[in-house]
Amino acid sequence: LFVLILLPINWGIETFKWQLLIKKIQNISFIQALKSVLIGLFIGFFTPQRIGEIPGRVLTLNSSNRAAGMSMMLVGSIIQTIINSSMGLIGLSFLSLSWLNHRWATIWSISIIFLLLSMLLFLPTIANYLKSKFSNEKIKNVCCSLSKISSKDLAKLFFITLLRYIIYSIQFYLCIRFCHINISLSEAAIAISCIYLFITITPSFAIADAGLRGSYALVFIGLYSSQTINIATAGILVWCINVVIPMIIGSIMMKDIK
């Protein structure tokens, strides 16, 4: 399956992004960064909204760099959320126009996307302003780390995250084709973007993601096809490939953590 070939590319991009995020904190090799990413995935698998992935990923860093590393992990999560939300809102706009003919939904979506991208663009400036407003040292450290990100690095992180989004969306589409679901590429693109949007904003444990993905797949892909078993299978299959396989590898790597 070509979807399996894209698996190392998917997580390779995430590894490169992690290297970029922490390069000013600690220089680590690609292999070390990959190990860090997979261990974080394993720990995050058992926590709500994968919140455990943040402290889990910094376990391989020097103890003195872990607090700063968690701040940069948070930056990566924010960028990922903005990408998922923006692409999902675009998909939702097309869905509203094609099914409900609601142009106001498109206007609202464009406005929210503009707001999200503006927040991303001015993230260092906003963080620089906020760091003097908090007395809590942990919050101040997070704001301090955010304020030090250059516009160039922010642009790199944005396009790396967008590329990864495209990769795992292609994987989802390939799973749809593998399960013989008869929908067009454009219909799949709209449905997939909406699925990832709602997965992003729905509180859950990663271990329960299979059911969540299957359910949202039935809702959105189900608008274009009545092949319910195939649709649920596609949603769960892409989760198994992109989450369960790397998580198992991460669990094996955990034994090297002291």
Side-chain angles (χ1 to χ4, degrees), residues 5-232:
I5 296 173
L6 291 175
L7 173 61
I9 297 173
N10 178 1
W11 287 101
I13 292 170
E14 180 63 19
T15 300
F16 179 69
K17 185 175 82 172
W18 177 234
Q19 276 187 301
L20 182 61
L21 279 166
I22 62 166
K23 70 176 183 178
K24 293 180 180 177
I25 300 169
Q26 182 176 330
N27 281 320
I28 59 174
S29 68
F30 184 85
I31 296 299
Q32 287 175 311
L34 178 61
K35 183 178 178 180
S36 179
V37 167
L38 295 179
I39 288 173
L41 178 66
F42 169 68
I43 295 175
F45 189 80
F46 303 99
T47 56
Q49 288 298 91
R50 294 187 187 175
I51 193 69
E53 189 171 351
I54 296 175
R57 189 175 289 196
V58 302
L59 282 176
T60 57
L61 300 180
N62 296 335
S63 57
S64 59
N65 295 329
R66 287 174 184 173
M70 287 175 69
S71 299
M72 299 315 296
M73 175 63 186
L74 185 61
V75 174
S77 297
I78 290 169
I79 295 172
Q80 187 72 66
T81 299
I82 288 173
I83 293 289
N84 286 5
S85 300
S86 298
M87 298 303 288
L89 287 168
I90 292 170
L92 212 56
S93 297
F94 280 106
L95 198 65
S96 298
L97 284 171
S98 59
W99 283 88
L100 304 173
N101 198 27
H102 283 179
R103 293 183 181 179
W104 279 108
T106 303
I107 295 170
W108 274 106
S109 294
I110 291 171
S111 301
I112 295 170
I113 291 167
F114 178 77
L115 178 62
L116 289 171
L117 294 178
S118 297
M119 285 175 60
L120 178 60
L121 181 64
F122 294 104
L123 188 61
T125 306
I126 295 168
N128 192 49
Y129 171 77
L130 290 175
K131 69 181 180 182
S132 61
K133 303 297 179 182
F134 292 99
S135 57
N136 186 289
E137 281 301 315
K138 290 183 179 180
I139 297 175
K140 286 181 75 172
N141 288 337
V142 169
C143 290
C144 190
S145 298
L146 291 174
S147 66
K148 291 178 181 177
I149 302 174
S150 67
S151 299
K152 184 179 178 181
D153 282 345
L154 205 56
K156 283 182 183 178
L157 288 166
F158 176 83
F159 286 110
I160 289 168
T161 306
L162 181 60
L163 176 61
R164 184 171 179 240
Y165 179 91
I166 293 168
I167 294 294
Y168 60 66
S169 294
I170 291 172
Q171 287 179 292
F172 204 149
Y173 177 69
L174 291 172
C175 286
I176 288 171
R177 301 303 301 171
F178 177 76
C179 292
H180 305 290
I181 301 166
N182 300 315
I183 61 173
S184 68
L185 177 59
S186 60
E187 290 169 342
I190 291 170
I192 289 168
S193 65
C194 290
I195 290 166
Y196 282 131
L197 169 64
F198 280 87
I199 288 171
T200 300
I201 63 175
T202 304
S204 71
F205 284 82
I207 198 169
D209 264 3
L212 192 66
R213 288 169 187 259
S215 299
Y216 282 135
L218 285 170
V219 171
F220 292 107
I221 300 176
L223 293 172
Y224 305 105
S225 172
S226 59
Q227 300 165 277
T228 53
I229 295 175
N230 301 47
I231 293 169

